[in-house]
Amino acid sequence: MKTGESTAIDIAPETNNSGPIGKKKSTTPLLAVPVPDRGTHRMKRGLAIFDFVLRIGALAAALAAAAAMGTSGQTLPFFTQFFQFEASYDDLPTFQFFVVAMGIVAGYVVLSIPFSIVCIVRPHAVGPRLLLLILDAVALTVNTAAAGAAAAVVSLAHSGNSSTNWLSICNQFGDFCQQTSGAVVGSFAAVLLFLLLILFSALSLKNRH
Amino acid sequence: MKTGESTAIDIAPETNNSGPIGKKKSTTPLLAVPVPDRGTHRMKRGLAIFDFVLRIGALAAALAAAAAMGTSGQTLPFFTQFFQFEASYDDLPTFQFFVVAMGIVAGYVVLSIPFSIVCIVRPHAVGPRLLLLILDAVALTVNTAAAGAAAAVVSLAHSGNSSTNWLSICNQFGDFCQQTSGAVVGSFAAVLLFLLLILFSALSLKNRH
């Protein structure tokens, strides 16, 4: 642990200082406060990198869910004099909400990626980590509400409900149902990733000592 | 600030120690680490008390939502030879899920209250605070999924959907619709309270320095 002193200075938060002052700055807190411990530092950087990877995954899941729902639509190959049989996400307000909500979540994840990079560069920074944790919780709520609502409607579309006389539409619109089901699965994957993001943010906040 | 030394020892985390040792223990970290600052201590205790109050509110909201949904049911005052017109939360799987999920959330809140009290007694304890933050995020997810799913079905029951030929049932079952709508409102209130709980837990974790 005594070897590799220069590496330790390289990855320290105050890396822009010149030689002796930088060395003094990085050794003083080591004596007074147990914060910039090398193992903790590495662990926190690992958590930050993992956070970045999970964020990319959440972006992919949210975009895939929004795209799958947004492009869902099926026109049956027969029609009567009065209308054509057609199903689209536009017909159901829940699915419209789903597309908008997943789009917002994907946009938030894109905006949050710079903060995640800041957390990789400065693993001990508390501000960005806290901001990400709180906004992740809000995004998780939006995402879960959209996923739950769409799941309820998809399950109705699949199996219908005899008490309320809502008939299944998946017999007629099989492709539409499959695509919306896929979108729901994608959004629940994003929910899981957000839960993991919150877990790792909390762990990262904890291990400041 | 030099006066009121005994008060400072009274509210210090290590209050069970005997005189001189307790004094040594409570002054040593004051010199080495800036953690047990008196203002921070009071602020964190305030956050912990607020956490407790919010938790009681979330418990009330979750219980009210579960009870409103669980007791919802309406039998129309006329019937045919073959069946009676009756609507109950049992008829819709989404509403069953809602009752179970809100029951689980309410149970979790009850179990979490002791940890919240521990956080009031020891405002600087990190373990219980972190545990509450992570489990609150999980409870938030369950709660939001149930609320979103029930909201989607309630909105269908209110306005129906012409594309899928699902007719509104609220014309016939007005009381049923009102009660389920109230349950959805209650569950979204619980969602908001959980978001606030996560916010204050995160702030409490942040201000350890």
Side-chain angles (χ1 to χ4, degrees):
Chain A
M1 273 300 188
K2 292 263 173 142
T3 59
E5 181 72 28
S6 61
T7 322
I9 291 174
D10 280 340
I11 59 169
E14 288 90 3
T15 185
N16 291 328
N17 292 312
S18 58
I21 300 166
K23 201 179 172 189
K24 198 189 169 197
K25 271 208 169 176
S26 68
T27 50
T28 308
L30 266 172
L31 292 173
V33 191
V35 173
D37 177 24
R38 217 163 294 168
T40 313
H41 190 90
R42 253 180 222 163
M43 200 267 278
K44 285 169 77 81
R45 172 154 298 184
L47 280 179
I49 292 173
F50 204 50
D51 177 286
F52 180 75
V53 173
L54 282 180
R55 225 164 266 281
I56 301 288
L59 174 62
L63 274 185
M69 186 63 88
T71 58
S72 70
Q74 188 179 5
T75 307
L76 294 191
F78 54 86
F79 46 89
T80 68
Q81 197 180 351
F82 300 108
F83 59 66
Q84 206 172 4
F85 295 97
E86 185 178 5
S88 152
Y89 81 97
D90 263 340
D91 298 330
L92 288 150
T94 306
F95 289 168
Q96 289 176 353
F97 167 65
F98 182 90
V99 172
V100 172
M102 295 314 292
I104 289 174
V105 168
Y108 157 72
V109 174
V110 169
L111 291 178
S112 76
I113 282 178
F115 292 92
S116 179
I117 292 172
V118 166
C119 286
I120 294 179
V121 178
R122 298 177 69 106
H124 289 288
V126 177
R129 176 63 48 214
L130 191 75
L131 188 74
L132 283 181
L133 173 58
I134 292 168
L135 292 182
D136 279 353
V138 175
L140 170 71
T141 308
V142 174
N143 192 339
T144 314
V153 173
V154 164
S155 111
L156 271 180
H158 269 287
S159 48
N161 188 279
S162 56
S163 317
T164 55
N165 251 333
W166 295 338
L167 299 177
S168 162
I169 60 163
C170 283
N171 294 328
Q172 293 95 53
F173 298 102
D175 289 354
F176 177 68
C177 274
Q178 267 196 332
Q179 209 164 343
T180 51
S181 307
V184 168
V185 170
S187 66
F188 274 112
V191 166
L192 276 185
L193 290 172
F194 271 113
L195 270 180
L196 285 178
L197 279 173
I198 290 179
L199 172 67
F200 289 122
S201 283
L203 286 180
S204 196
L205 273 180
K206 179 209 164 196
N207 283 315
R208 277 187 308 130
H209 270 203
Chain B
M1 277 297 190
K2 292 265 173 135
T3 59
E5 182 72 27
S6 61
T7 323
I9 290 173
D10 279 340
I11 61 168
E14 289 91 4
T15 185
N16 290 328
N17 292 312
S18 59
I21 300 166
K23 200 179 171 189
K24 198 189 171 195
K25 269 209 169 175
S26 68
T27 50
T28 307
L30 267 172
L31 292 172
V33 192
V35 172
D37 177 25
R38 219 163 292 168
T40 313
H41 190 90
R42 253 180 221 163
M43 199 267 278
K44 284 169 79 81
R45 174 156 296 184
L47 279 179
I49 292 173
F50 203 52
D51 177 286
F52 180 75
V53 173
L54 283 180
R55 225 164 266 280
I56 301 288
L59 174 62
L63 273 186
M69 186 62 89
T71 59
S72 71
Q74 189 179 6
T75 308
L76 295 191
F78 53 86
F79 46 90
T80 67
Q81 196 180 352
F82 301 108
F83 59 67
Q84 205 171 4
F85 295 97
E86 185 178 6
S88 152
Y89 81 96
D90 263 341
D91 297 330
L92 288 150
T94 306
F95 288 168
Q96 290 177 353
F97 167 66
F98 182 92
V99 173
V100 172
M102 294 314 291
I104 289 173
V105 167
Y108 157 71
V109 174
V110 169
L111 291 178
S112 76
I113 283 178
F115 292 92
S116 180
I117 293 173
V118 166
C119 287
I120 295 178
V121 178
R122 299 176 69 107
H124 289 288
V126 177
R129 176 62 47 214
L130 191 75
L131 188 74
L132 283 180
L133 174 57
I134 292 168
L135 292 182
D136 279 353
V138 175
L140 170 71
T141 308
V142 174
N143 192 340
T144 314
V153 173
V154 165
S155 112
L156 270 179
H158 269 286
S159 48
N161 188 278
S162 56
S163 317
T164 54
N165 252 331
W166 295 339
L167 298 176
S168 162
I169 60 162
C170 284
N171 294 329
Q172 293 96 52
F173 298 101
D175 290 352
F176 176 68
C177 273
Q178 267 196 332
Q179 209 165 344
T180 51
S181 307
V184 168
V185 170
S187 67
F188 274 111
V191 166
L192 276 185
L193 290 173
F194 270 114
L195 270 180
L196 285 178
L197 278 173
I198 289 179
L199 172 67
F200 290 122
S201 283
L203 285 180
S204 195
L205 272 180
K206 177 209 165 196
N207 283 315
R208 277 187 308 132
H209 271 201

